[in-house]
Amino acid sequence: MGGNGSGQKHPAPGRGINYWNNFAVNYFLLVFSGAILAVARFFPIDRFPLGFCFFKNITGLPCPTCGFTRSFCDFANGHWAAGIHLCPFALLVFIAVAVAFVFNAAVISASFFKKIIILPPFCRLSSKRAVILALVLFVLVIANWIYRLAMGLS
């Protein structure tokens, strides 16, 4: 029995409930980011069920994220110039998804060797940092939209 006097057995160090919760989160993020990258790379863009855009139909203008999927797929297929021309903001998202995939693959791989990879403090989001990040992302989406409107892209 455990040494806490409660009669409950403690899990092995590093293999408690938090370990398995974190492993599940890392595994989900690995599969999710990997699926996004794989679909963008191997599924032809002309087969995406892209449909009707309510925003464009109502306003006659492209929506703030118009061209994002095509641009993301361009990046996944190595067409960097075309992707940046179409939707520069998508490059940041593509890099974030690729980094998430690599990081979560490293965390899961390390766990098989009973090693732990911890994010450095500057990567941890406090509520204040999360608000700032959300505002920066919002401004970038609007800037990307203005770029698309100025370039006459639809």
Side-chain angles (χ1 to χ4, degrees):
M1 293 289 169
N4 65 359
S6 66
Q8 294 180 347
K9 192 172 186 179
H10 290 291
R15 297 288 183 176
I17 293 172
N18 286 340
Y19 169 82
W20 291 111
N21 287 345
N22 289 338
F23 184 85
V25 168
N26 290 124
Y27 186 76
F28 170 77
L29 291 173
L30 174 70
V31 171
F32 186 70
S33 60
I36 290 171
L37 293 171
V39 167
R41 172 66 178 98
F42 298 111
F43 196 72
I45 188 69
D46 58 346
R47 291 193 182 176
F48 274 102
L50 301 175
F52 182 74
C53 178
F54 290 107
F55 187 89
K56 189 172 184 176
N57 190 44
I58 292 170
T59 66
L61 301 171
C63 69
T65 60
C66 194
F68 188 91
T69 302
R70 289 174 285 167
S71 182
F72 195 93
C73 291
D74 281 341
F75 295 133
N77 287 288
H79 305 260
W80 300 98
I84 288 173
H85 174 72
L86 191 59
C87 185
F89 178 68
L91 178 61
L92 293 176
V93 176
F94 179 79
I95 290 170
V97 171
V99 167
F101 178 78
V102 170
F103 175 77
N104 287 293
V107 168
I108 289 173
S109 298
S111 72
F112 289 119
F113 299 103
K114 297 184 180 179
K115 303 289 182 192
I116 297 173
I117 296 176
I118 299 173
L119 284 173
F122 69 87
C123 291
R124 297 184 193 138
L125 283 181
S126 64
S127 58
K128 182 179 179 181
R129 282 187 180 173
V131 168
I132 291 170
L133 179 62
L135 289 173
V136 168
L137 291 175
F138 177 76
V139 168
L140 288 173
V141 168
I142 297 303
N144 187 74
W145 188 33
I146 292 169
Y147 162 79
R148 291 187 53 77
L149 293 173
M151 295 295 289
L153 301 171
S154 59

